[in-house]
Amino acid sequence: EPAYILLFDACKSAYLVDELHAVGRQAITVTPDDSNGNLRAASITCDIMELEKSLAFADKAIRQAPEAPQCRLSRAFTLARLGRYDDAIKEFEHVLKSSTHYDYGQCYEGLGLVLAQRGDYRQAARNFEKALHYDGDPDYLLLWTYLCYRRSGFDSSARVRDYRECRQLGDDQWVSSLFAACLGEIKSEELLDAARKAPAPAIAAGQLCEAYFVLGQLHLASGKPAAARAAFKAAVATNITVFVEYIWALAELARPQ
């Protein structure tokens, strides 16, 4: 089992989607039938989009360890991917009420993602802002916050500029490109060209998923629904199922036009 888990994590880090699915299906055959094993199986099947299996593993883990917050969080993230947003919110709120500050960052980030996928962008932004006070990736939390505020009709560009200056993003050219696109400093094709310049095809696919997603959000904020829909379809076509942007793009496409 440890070897499969390490291999799965390596494939996930490298965005090797086909290998990820194959290894994941092997890994869940050797995870032990206890709360930790079922929690790992729930996470793996969620990543490879076998969501009903993931929910079953998460439910089993909860029965075996009803007080463990990670089991509830796993169930919440799977419910979100299934589009069962109200149920996911209840799980995140349950953890916030019954857990310690250690789990709050994941809860607020998860709530932000669920609310954004449901179309409640203002509340989503507020939860991303709360998540910024805990462990998490501040670059992407701020990016998602900015996009949600743009969808709400509020431009937080000044905050992004201040953050970028203080953060000194020069070493991370890709994240710098995403922020530059949001601020209108580079055009759509320039962002896509930057994504394609990744050192490996799989990394390029991941960056293209993010690029198309960001462009879709910017198009919607600018009143260009057809261009947005094309961008979201392109994000989903990358098949990077482990990305938030992939799931969020699916949710945008499922929304009535």
Side-chain angles (χ1 to χ4, degrees), residues 35-254:
S35 60
N36 288 330
N38 285 311
L39 179 60
R40 288 193 290 274
S43 177
I44 289 168
T45 46
C46 186
D47 279 336
I48 64 175
M49 297 298 287
E50 295 186 358
L51 300 177
E52 294 297 342
K53 285 185 180 179
S54 178
L55 192 60
F57 282 124
D59 287 342
K60 197 169 187 179
I62 290 171
R63 289 195 296 271
Q64 293 167 327
E67 302 304 319
Q70 286 301 321
C71 298
R72 291 278 179 179
L73 285 171
S74 180
R75 188 173 196 273
F77 282 111
T78 299
L79 288 168
R81 288 194 170 210
L82 283 165
R84 293 171 56 181
Y85 300 131
D86 290 343
D87 292 334
I89 288 170
K90 289 177 183 177
E91 292 292 351
F92 285 124
E93 290 177 342
H94 176 88
V95 176
L96 284 172
K97 291 177 182 177
S98 61
S99 186
T100 64
H101 288 268
Y102 178 79
D103 305 297
Y104 283 10
Q106 291 184 71
C107 285
Y108 286 126
E109 181 176 330
L111 279 169
L113 292 170
V114 169
L115 290 165
Q117 290 163 33
R118 197 170 67 173
D120 190 350
Y121 300 105
R122 187 176 295 274
Q123 288 300 323
R126 289 172 177 167
N127 276 279
F128 289 141
E129 289 177 327
K130 291 178 182 179
L132 281 164
H133 294 287
Y134 300 93
D135 290 337
D137 189 326
D139 296 341
Y140 283 92
L141 285 170
L142 185 63
L143 177 69
W144 301 334
T145 301
Y146 171 84
L147 292 171
C148 285
Y149 274 134
R150 278 290 299 271
R151 293 293 304 276
S152 303
F154 174 71
D155 189 354
S156 58
S157 297
R159 182 182 181 189
V160 172
R161 290 191 183 94
D162 290 343
Y163 172 81
R164 186 175 60 176
E165 182 178 349
C166 295
R167 177 82 161 79
Q168 297 180 344
L169 290 168
D171 292 338
D172 193 334
Q173 294 298 322
W174 174 238
V175 172
S176 295
S177 296
L178 291 173
F179 280 123
C182 290
L183 296 172
E185 297 170 352
I186 62 174
K187 297 179 180 178
S188 298
E189 281 306 318
E190 292 176 291
L191 178 62
L192 296 173
D193 287 342
R196 296 184 184 104
K197 290 178 181 176
I203 303 298
Q207 292 184 172
L208 282 168
C209 180
E210 294 178 347
Y212 281 120
F213 167 77
V214 167
L215 292 175
Q217 292 293 340
L218 295 175
H219 286 318
L220 281 178
S222 301
K224 301 175 182 177
R229 192 165 185 82
F232 290 135
K233 285 182 177 179
V236 171
T238 64
N239 200 34
I240 307 297
T241 60
V242 297
F243 272 22
V244 164
E245 292 79 6
Y246 173 91
I247 302 300
W248 194 339
L250 282 176
E252 294 289 358
L253 289 171

